[in-house]
Amino acid sequence: MGLRAVLQFPDRRLTRVSEPILRVTDEIRELARDMCEVMYDEPGIGLAAPQLGVPVRLVVVDVHWNDEGGERNPRVLVNPEIVEATGEITWNEGCLSVPDFQAEVERAERVRLRATDLDGNPVEIEAEGLEAVCFQHEIDHLDGILFIDRISRLKRSMYARRREKQLRQERDEAGSSTAV
Ligand SMILES: [Zn+2]
């Protein structure tokens, strides 16, 4: 089976608020596996279930694997919640759902979060720097928020216009190649 496709802006499904997971079923475990596969394949350092079109509160994060010789060691978090956020940090962010764009976003520098793992055990994580940014970015996805919703309106609308134009061009090209 091929990998599941990542939804891309301006897909409306990315703006939905995802539902809590009441029970970790086989389906959820399979989804988590698929999410990791997509994350490593793209590659990315995090992914949220709604990016694959499944509106449930599940994220995977692995900020270390990209390092030289780094092992794959994904954190899979069910119903993650930020319980404490301190400090400020500005990071140049990108997103698999926001093609060809990066922008600086202000986030908390350190976060403490609670979640459960795939076995239903509670986990508490403290993260800082890139990892903290990544958790905040992924949890935003669960609330239907993209990083471009956290930049200036001007920058966001410039990107939205560029993206529309790009999609129009792709459609036109697809149209002309099939109109034989
Ligand atoms: Zn993202």
Side-chain angles (χ1 to χ4, degrees):
M1 203 188 86
L3 295 177
R4 301 196 204 196
V6 178
L7 301 185
Q8 294 185 328
F9 177 82
D11 195 308
R12 298 286 304 165
R13 287 172 287 179
L14 291 167
T15 65
R16 284 189 299 198
V17 176
S18 292
E19 295 291 327
I21 293 171
L22 303 179
R23 204 164 63 85
V24 177
T25 57
D26 286 345
E27 210 179 322
I28 293 293
R29 273 186 278 270
E30 196 182 311
L31 174 62
R33 261 198 311 275
D34 288 356
M35 285 166 63
C36 290
E37 264 186 65
V38 170
M39 172 176 73
Y40 292 122
D41 182 70
E42 284 284 343
I45 56 172
L47 197 73
Q51 291 181 276
L52 298 186
V54 188
V56 297
R57 302 188 80 83
L58 180 67
V59 305
V60 299
V61 168
D62 190 348
V63 295
H64 299 299
W65 75 277
N66 231 348
D67 300 345
E68 196 104 336
E71 271 177 44
R72 292 181 175 189
N73 189 17
R75 283 225 189 246
V76 179
L77 300 180
V78 177
N79 301 327
E81 245 183 292
I82 291 172
V83 291
E84 202 182 311
T86 54
E88 262 176 46
I89 191 171
T90 303
W91 206 277
N92 197 35
E93 295 188 26
C95 178
L96 298 176
S97 295
V98 181
D100 312 315
F101 188 64
Q102 289 191 337
E104 290 195 337
V105 182
E106 270 180 35
R107 303 275 189 186
E109 190 184 6
R110 284 173 299 277
V111 293
R112 197 153 58 81
L113 41 120
R114 285 198 195 120
T116 56
D117 64 18
L118 285 177
D119 298 316
N121 302 314
V123 287
E124 193 166 310
I125 295 171
E126 281 180 32
E128 58 175 24
L130 172 61
E131 195 174 29
V133 166
C134 192
F135 281 126
Q136 291 169 83
H137 176 118
E138 301 313 329
I139 290 171
D140 265 357
H141 275 300
L142 304 182
D143 294 321
I145 299 167
L146 298 174
F147 81 93
I148 52 174
D149 300 325
R150 295 193 179 279
I151 63 178
S152 77
R153 290 173 73 115
L154 179 65
K155 276 192 204 158
R156 189 191 191 285
S157 65
M158 279 167 64
Y159 173 71
R161 268 203 300 277
R162 178 155 67 82
R163 177 79 181 135
E164 268 167 40
K165 196 171 150 197
Q166 181 190 20
L167 287 170
R168 219 168 24 241
Q169 273 167 358
E170 279 172 19
R171 267 197 303 275
D172 289 350
E173 278 161 27
S176 60
S177 63
T178 50
V180 183

